[in-house]
């Protein structure tokens, strides 16, 4: 471990880099608004119980240079990452020990090291906007092995099965909510549809539970469920049994049909029209969802436990023995994945992801990633051709967001992300050990990834990410609810105001949303703040732009469907309002602001100084610091103090500033008005 504040072997103009950056200089820290604090190791020791604040810490065996509150470097030796002996992987770390950027450092000349550091800083400027949005949220340390990828609810709740024969749930904050014993070991991933959790057990049952942990129904079946469940948009449930049968249940658990397809069956996938696609031995079957009759049966050459993935053209992507074949909806062969030399491209045996017309797959060893054209199989990009200083080690299913950013868990203990369009690598951060599937949920205007990781796969870790899922098949199971069906995201449209509008005064947002199956909720955001919501496909919301600070804003309409897909439409507008004029003769004004949907208690500060160093009055009283309202009118006594402060300024018109602070969310808005002392 290098002493705090020192960066070994890196110098600038003969001065150690740490001294050049004045990392130990208290004046430097104050100028940058940084706070002194303890070491990363001290933070590591704080975690207790099942959940703890470890999400931002380096993986075991790595070191921290510097302390939180200072510009620090976190470093670690990664033989699989680096070019040879003597290389280290350097991360520039924020004040809370969160890595900002990776830089390479070697035992070469100091000039070479400095060049790499400077290039790293330039790379930081280009990618900081993306990386700053990837933040650890929480970590849950469970008592038993987590069997499958977690399932996420729209509110951020997490549902998962453990090998101690329990079904468990966490709150959106990552704390235990409940745990129940469902009468046997859970043997399938958990599916969430219509507010109900579905899964199979070792007791030859399919069970349905509420999201509160109460059993709704159980249904005995003829065999142990041997595949993940697929749940259609109408609530019908399909799965394969160890007896080689395809089973179909109604939403209430009653048996619909079962049909024998072979000695073993693969995972079912539900097409857009409800057709069920499932392998029996080497044959793919298209099964009528109402009668159970086989519509067609084609030889796909090898059985597979990898679920079939479907794109927006209804083509079937089938991985068998590492070979990726693509068929149309009638079972006609289209293409097979091949490398640049024309040989078979062996891919990892996990569900690929699709963004637009790009299929993203990892090779069989997980050390290479390809972008393929969904229609032809043509290679659009190869990860190693685009990125020369990073070699991936993909462990499980990836996830792609609506901006085309793909996230995956790496075998070396990091979560990494890159661009689906051209393969450009963006960055990574620690993931508390080698992780598995990246499960991506839409979380307001942003997104949230939850993955299982850690020793014994007993850890769940959550990360805030820039956006929710996107693409026709964004992750394993199709969505964070693991419904395993082709289900398009909702269509959303903002009809007014128009993109690029300059708005003064009152305005109305008119938006609509629709879905191919079932629309869930519709939400309206201005910037990062939710301002309205609707349970139907139409949303009208009126307000006054003067309630916002002047500037440019994104207005976004988000719609979520029953599968957890999110559709988004965004327009960019500018609010431009002159500061209002208030006459002294009018008495105290009423200050009004918008609810930030985080707080229900606020405080108003009034000042003659835009920095609010010494407020003239506040809304607080001796008995009540916070008010439960979104407006406030000063008393005559407090208004008199404002007038007295204004009279100290010789001008006939004085600018008065006011700020609203939320008890939880902090600053809500800062506004001003002109006080006319002549009227």
């Amino acid at each position: 471990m290098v002493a705090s504040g020192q960066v070994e072997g890196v110098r600038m103009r003969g001065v150690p880099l740490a001294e050049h950056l004045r990392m130990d200089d208290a004046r430097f820290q104050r100028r940058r608004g940084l706070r002194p604090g303890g070491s990363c190791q001290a933070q590591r020791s704080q975690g207790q119980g099942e959940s703890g604040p470890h999400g931002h810490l380096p993986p075991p065996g790595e070191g921290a240079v510097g302390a939180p509150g200072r510009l620090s470097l976190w470093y670690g030796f990664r033989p699989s990452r680096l070019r040879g002996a003597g290389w280290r992987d350097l991360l520039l770390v924020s004040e809370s020990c969160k890595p900002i950027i990776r830089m390479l450092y070697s035992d070469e000349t100091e000039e070479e090291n400095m060049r790499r550091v400077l290039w790293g800083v330039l790379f930081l400027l280009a990618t900081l906007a993306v990386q700053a949005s990837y933040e650890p949220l929480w970590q849950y340390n469970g008592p038993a092995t987590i069997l499958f990828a977690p399932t996420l609810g729209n509110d951020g709740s997490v549902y998962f099965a453990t090998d101690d024969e329990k079904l468990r749930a966490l709150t959106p904050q990552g704390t235990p909510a409940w745990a129940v014993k469902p009468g046997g070991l859970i043997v399938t991933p958990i599916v969430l549809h219509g507010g109900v959790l579905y899964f199979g057990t070792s007791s030859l049952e399919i069970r349905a539970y509420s999201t509160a942990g109460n059993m709704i129904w159980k249904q005995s079946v003829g065999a142990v469920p041997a595949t993940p469940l697929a749940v259609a948009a109408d609530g019908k449930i399909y799965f394969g049994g160890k007896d080689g049968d395809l089973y179909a249940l109604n939403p209430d658990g009653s048996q619909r049909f079962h049909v024998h397809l072979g000695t073993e069956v693969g995972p079912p996938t539900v097409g857009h029209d409800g057709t069920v696609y499932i392998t029996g031995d080497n044959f793919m079957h298209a099964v009528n969802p109402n009668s159970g009759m086989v519509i067609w049966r084609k030889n796909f050459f090898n059985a597979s436990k990898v679920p079939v993935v479907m794109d927006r053209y209804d083509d079937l992507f089938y991985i068998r023995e590492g070979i990726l074949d693509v068929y149309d909806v009638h079972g006609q062969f289209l293409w097979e994945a091949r490398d640049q030399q024309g040989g078979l491209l062996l891919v990892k045996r996990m569900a690929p992801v699709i963004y637009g017309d790009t299929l993203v797959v990892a090779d069989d060893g997980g050390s290479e990633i390809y972008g393929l054209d969904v229609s032809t199989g043509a290679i659009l990009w190869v990860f190693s051709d685009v990125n020369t200083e990073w070699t991936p080690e993909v462990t499980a299913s990836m996830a792609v967001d609506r901006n085309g950013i793909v996230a995956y868990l790496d075998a070396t203990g990091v979560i990494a992300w890159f661009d689906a369009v051209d393969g450009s690598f963006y960055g990574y951060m620690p993931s508390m050990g080698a992780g598995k599937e990246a499960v991506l949920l839409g979380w307001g205007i942003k997104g949230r990834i939850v993955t299982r990781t850690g020793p014994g796969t007993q850890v769940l870790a959550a990360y805030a990410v820039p956006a929710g899922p996107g693409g026709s098949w964004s992750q394993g199971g199709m969505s964070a609810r693991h419904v395993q069906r082709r289900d398009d995201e909702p269509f959303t449209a903002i009809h007014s105001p128009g993109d690029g509008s300059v708005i003064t005064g009152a305005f109305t947002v008119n938006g609509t949303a629709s879905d191919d199956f079932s629309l869930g909720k519709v939400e309206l955001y201005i910037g990062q703040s939710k301002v309205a919501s609707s349970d139907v496909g139409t949303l009208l919301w009126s307000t006054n732009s003067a309630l916002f600070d002047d500037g440019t804003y994104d207005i976004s309409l988000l719609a979520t469907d029953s599968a957890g897909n999110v559709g988004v439409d965004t327009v960019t507008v500018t609010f431009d309002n002159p500061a209002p004029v208030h006459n002294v003769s009018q008495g105290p004004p009423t200050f009004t602001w918008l609810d930030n949907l985080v707080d229900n208690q606020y405080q108003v500060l009034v000042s003659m100084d835009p920095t609010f160093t010494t407020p003239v009055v506040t809304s607080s009283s001796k008995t009540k610091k916070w008010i439960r309202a979104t407006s406030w009118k000063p008393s005559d006594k407090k208004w008199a103090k404002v007038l007295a402060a204004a009279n100290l300024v010789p001008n006939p018109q004085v600018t008065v500033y006011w700020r609203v602070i939320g008890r939880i969310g902090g600053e809500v808005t800062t506004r001003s008005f002109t006080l006319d002392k002549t009227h």
Side-chain angles (χ1 to χ4, degrees):
M1 177 71 71
V2 185
S4 175
Q6 301 296 314
V7 184
E8 185 180 40
V10 182
R11 304 175 71 88
M12 178 179 287
R13 295 182 181 175
V15 179
L17 181 61
E19 294 180 18
H20 183 85
L21 295 177
R22 302 173 65 86
M23 290 191 293
D24 288 322
D25 189 328
R27 290 171 297 172
F28 173 88
Q29 296 175 31
R30 284 196 295 271
R31 284 200 302 272
R32 296 296 185 268
L34 303 179
R35 301 184 304 274
S39 69
C40 289
Q41 292 295 330
Q43 291 190 42
R44 183 192 300 278
S45 66
Q46 291 174 359
Q48 301 291 335
E50 288 193 334
S51 59
H54 303 315
H56 56 281
L57 298 178
E62 307 217 343
V65 181
R70 300 174 182 176
L71 184 59
S72 307
L73 286 178
W74 165 63
Y75 71 94
F77 184 62
R78 300 178 183 273
S80 64
R81 285 278 179 268
L82 307 177
R83 299 177 177 177
W87 283 86
R88 292 179 181 175
D89 206 11
L90 288 181
L91 289 183
L92 187 63
V93 177
S94 70
E95 57 177 301
S96 59
C97 297
K98 297 175 183 176
I100 299 174
I101 186 173
R102 177 180 65 94
M103 293 182 288
L104 292 173
Y105 160 55
S106 74
D107 294 334
E108 299 176 2
T109 65
E110 293 177 355
E111 289 79 10
E112 177 68 12
N113 286 322
M114 196 63 244
R115 182 184 68 82
R116 294 183 181 280
V117 171
L118 292 176
W119 273 112
V121 172
L122 292 176
F123 180 74
L124 169 64
L125 296 176
T127 62
L128 187 59
V130 175
Q131 297 199 32
S133 297
Y134 282 74
E135 291 286 345
L137 293 174
W138 51 257
Q139 177 182 328
Y140 164 85
N141 300 324
T145 296
I146 300 165
L147 297 174
F148 307 103
T151 298
L152 310 183
N154 274 349
D155 65 348
S157 296
V158 184
Y159 308 96
F160 58 101
T162 49
D163 68 354
D164 57 355
E165 299 188 354
K166 286 188 177 181
L167 170 66
R168 299 176 182 270
L170 303 181
T171 68
Q173 293 74 39
T175 58
W178 51 262
V180 297
K181 283 204 164 189
L185 184 70
I186 295 176
V187 295
T188 70
I190 297 163
V191 178
L192 174 60
H193 175 81
V196 179
L197 303 169
Y198 300 98
F199 54 88
T201 74
S202 59
S203 302
L204 282 69
E205 290 179 337
I206 300 296
R207 290 198 174 206
Y209 274 69
S210 72
T211 53
N214 301 312
M215 189 179 73
I216 300 173
W217 55 257
K218 61 180 179 179
Q219 176 64 55
S220 296
V221 292
V224 174
T227 72
L229 309 182
V231 179
D234 60 5
K236 296 185 180 71
I237 304 160
Y238 304 93
F239 65 94
K242 281 194 174 180
D243 56 359
D245 284 12
L246 166 65
Y247 288 81
L249 304 181
N250 290 310
D252 62 1
S254 59
Q255 291 203 35
R256 189 172 185 84
F257 63 78
H258 66 94
V259 56
H260 189 70
L261 299 178
T263 57
E264 65 173 344
V265 292
T269 293
V270 180
H272 200 254
D273 63 355
T275 300
V276 181
Y277 300 94
I278 182 172
T279 55
D281 297 330
N282 296 341
F283 291 85
M284 177 64 70
H285 301 77
V287 179
N288 185 297
N290 297 313
S291 65
M293 293 185 62
V294 175
I295 302 170
W296 55 257
R297 178 176 182 266
K298 298 290 179 69
N299 188 352
F300 276 22
F301 305 106
N302 297 103
S304 177
K305 294 297 183 182
V306 180
V308 171
V309 167
M310 301 186 72
D311 65 10
R312 56 183 173 176
Y313 308 111
D314 281 330
D315 293 334
L316 311 176
F317 295 78
Y318 181 68
I319 295 177
R320 56 178 181 93
E321 302 296 329
I323 299 171
L324 170 61
D325 292 331
V326 182
Y327 298 82
D328 69 13
V329 74
H330 306 294
Q332 300 300 314
F333 176 78
L334 297 177
W335 55 267
E336 191 170 59
R338 295 194 171 264
D339 60 23
Q340 298 96 316
Q341 289 73 42
L344 281 176
L345 175 60
L346 296 181
V347 301
K348 201 167 186 67
R349 300 173 197 191
M350 65 183 190
V353 296
I354 300 173
Y355 179 75
D357 286 342
T358 300
L359 179 81
V360 180
V361 294
D363 73 353
D364 198 28
S367 60
E368 186 65 277
I369 305 173
Y370 295 85
L372 307 179
D373 184 279
V374 296
S375 298
T376 65
I379 294 177
L380 303 176
W381 51 261
V382 180
F383 192 91
S384 62
D385 291 345
V386 181
N387 311 284
T388 59
E389 292 188 347
W390 178 268
T391 301
E393 294 186 37
V394 181
T395 59
S397 297
M398 299 176 275
V400 59
D401 71 18
R402 66 173 179 270
N403 296 324
I405 306 302
V406 183
Y408 70 92
L409 277 296
D410 196 279
T412 61
V414 300
I415 180 171
W417 50 93
F418 62 92
D419 196 324
V421 176
D422 60 14
S424 298
F425 178 68
Y426 282 132
Y428 70 86
M429 66 169 51
S431 63
M432 288 74 71
K436 296 189 180 294
E437 308 86 356
V439 182
L440 176 59
L441 171 74
W443 184 257
I445 201 70
K446 295 186 177 182
R448 174 174 289 196
I449 283 178
V450 179
T451 184
R452 53 188 181 132
T453 183
T457 319
Q458 295 184 201
V459 175
L460 290 174
Y463 304 85
V465 298
S472 53
W473 204 283
S474 64
Q475 56 197 294
M478 197 280 291
S479 75
R481 300 184 185 182
H482 305 309
V483 291
Q484 195 61 32
R485 67 174 185 251
R486 193 209 138 183
D487 192 329
D488 298 338
E489 69 272 15
F491 174 78
T492 58
I494 296 177
H495 305 290
S496 66
D499 189 40
S501 298
V502 177
I503 299 173
T504 299
F507 71 100
T508 297
V509 178
N510 178 9
T512 57
S514 59
D515 189 62
D516 48 353
F517 292 116
S518 177
L519 189 65
K521 60 181 179 179
V522 181
E523 299 171 308
L524 182 67
Y525 285 79
I526 296 185
Q528 301 295 324
S529 300
K530 185 171 74 171
V531 295
S533 62
S534 172
D535 294 328
V536 297
T538 301
L539 189 148
L540 291 171
W541 183 73
S542 298
T543 190
N544 196 307
S545 61
L547 294 173
F548 298 84
D549 296 337
D550 284 351
T552 300
Y553 293 82
D554 285 339
I555 300 178
S556 300
L557 186 71
L558 277 71
T560 306
D561 67 12
S562 60
N565 298 313
V566 180
V568 182
D569 188 30
T570 299
V571 298
T572 301
V573 300
T574 299
F575 296 153
D576 186 10
N577 292 279
V581 177
H582 186 81
N583 299 328
V584 170
S585 60
Q586 293 177 282
T590 298
F591 302 103
T592 303
W593 59 94
L594 290 174
D595 186 348
N596 65 356
L597 301 181
V598 174
D599 296 282
N600 60 6
Q601 297 184 65
Y602 301 92
Q603 185 183 89
V604 183
L605 292 74
V606 181
S607 175
M608 309 305 294
D609 174 9
T611 66
F612 290 85
T613 304
T614 54
V616 178
V617 297
T618 73
S619 59
S620 300
S621 65
K622 292 182 179 180
T623 59
K624 185 182 296 185
K625 183 176 181 180
W626 305 93
I627 58 175
R628 294 179 179 270
T630 54
S631 64
W632 174 69
K633 183 176 182 178
S635 65
D636 290 341
K637 183 177 180 180
K638 289 190 175 184
W639 182 239
K641 290 184 178 181
V642 175
L643 295 180
N647 287 331
L648 296 176
V649 180
N651 299 330
Q653 292 187 329
V654 180
T655 301
V656 180
Y657 303 90
W658 59 282
R659 174 175 291 172
V660 180
I661 305 294
R663 186 169 186 174
I664 298 173
E667 182 179 339
V668 176
T669 188
T670 298
R671 307 289 294 160
S672 67
F673 64 93
T674 299
L675 181 63
D676 189 342
K677 296 186 289 185
T678 64
H679 293 85

